[in-house]
Amino acid sequence: MTWAPKHIPEILAAAGQHLVLSLLSVLIGGVIAVALGIVCARRPRLYAFALTITGIIFVIPSLALFALMIPFLGLGMKPALVGLSSYCLLILLRNVVTGLRGVPEDILDAADGMGYGPWQRLIHIELPLALPLILSGIRIALVTVIGIATVAAFIDAGGLGTIILMGIDQNYPEKILVGGLLTAFIATFFDVLLSRTEKVFVRWRGD
């Protein structure tokens, strides 16, 4: 390798942009999915409708989705954040609802017997017990978004996709390799980190 050692600051800046873009997208998607999941958990018809809409969004090719947003949001990070957050919703919503529905009825009855109101029960009982599944959804969503975020380079959103795109335009395999390997490394790192965190919460819930 001859290009990478001479461009470490550029590579680190692109990796930082990629990481910020991915984490912000999952954070925004997570907030929306938790709020929507709380509403949908006890409303099967609304949940089915929400799954249909998020499922349609999920199967739209990423480049097409980003391109559709350009007339409204222009180029850069804004359309990338909206698009990537939208891709998170199906994965996160499923896990939030599954986690909330998986809380045993006897625990809910005990909480009611102790005088918990609906919001107290949700905050102190249901969400903590659903947390392992929610974390699993976050892990899958983040790994997915880290990969898709490389496509955001086509709409000038920065990140490691920029290096890959330069490598393609310049027929420079080293740039493609550096961008691809760093993307894979970041995805693997968070997959392992969140997987271990998830196991900790599973053990905690079992105790």
Side-chain angles (χ1 to χ4, degrees), residues 76-206:
M77 185 169 281
K78 286 182 181 179
L81 280 174
V82 172
L84 293 173
S85 299
S86 301
Y87 278 118
C88 295
L89 292 178
L90 177 65
I91 300 168
L92 293 170
L93 179 62
R94 278 179 173 172
N95 281 52
V96 170
V97 173
T98 302
L100 291 174
R101 287 181 173 178
V103 178
E105 286 295 331
D106 56 342
I107 293 179
L108 298 179
D109 291 339
D112 291 338
M114 294 171 64
Y116 280 81
W119 283 105
Q120 286 179 310
R121 192 179 74 174
L122 176 68
I123 299 299
H124 296 289
I125 305 294
E126 294 177 82
L127 284 176
L129 290 177
L131 193 55
L133 266 176
I134 295 173
L135 281 174
S136 177
I138 291 172
R139 176 175 59 84
I140 297 168
L142 184 55
V143 170
T144 301
V145 163
I146 287 170
I148 298 175
T150 56
V151 183
F154 284 95
I155 57 170
D156 200 26
L160 291 168
T162 304
I163 295 176
I164 296 173
L165 189 58
M166 285 193 303
I168 294 171
D169 289 341
Q170 299 167 6
N171 193 24
Y172 206 134
E174 184 181 344
K175 292 184 179 182
I176 300 172
L177 187 63
V178 168
L181 287 178
L182 271 177
T183 301
F185 172 78
I186 292 172
T188 303
F189 172 79
F190 279 101
D191 186 37
V192 173
L193 177 65
L194 291 174
S195 180
R196 292 182 177 178
T197 305
E198 181 187 339
K199 289 177 182 177
V200 170
F201 279 99
V202 168
R203 288 197 297 268
W204 166 78
R205 191 174 71 168

Side-chain angles (χ1 to χ4, degrees), residues 32-42 47 93 96-97 100:
I32 296 171
V34 169
L36 189 58
I38 290 169
V39 175
C40 289
R42 305 288 182 252
Y47 179 47
L93 179 62
V96 170
V97 173
L100 291 174

Side-chain angles (χ1 to χ4, degrees), residues 41-88:
R42 305 288 182 252
R43 297 172 177 83
R45 289 184 181 179
L46 180 60
Y47 179 47
F49 177 74
L51 279 184
T52 300
I53 298 301
T54 55
I56 291 171
I57 294 172
F58 190 78
V59 299
I60 298 174
S62 55
L63 188 56
L65 184 61
F66 292 147
L68 287 172
M69 294 179 185
I70 291 174
F72 306 100
L73 299 173
L75 296 172
M77 185 169 281
K78 286 182 181 179
L81 280 174
V82 172
L84 293 173
S85 299
S86 301
Y87 278 118
C88 295

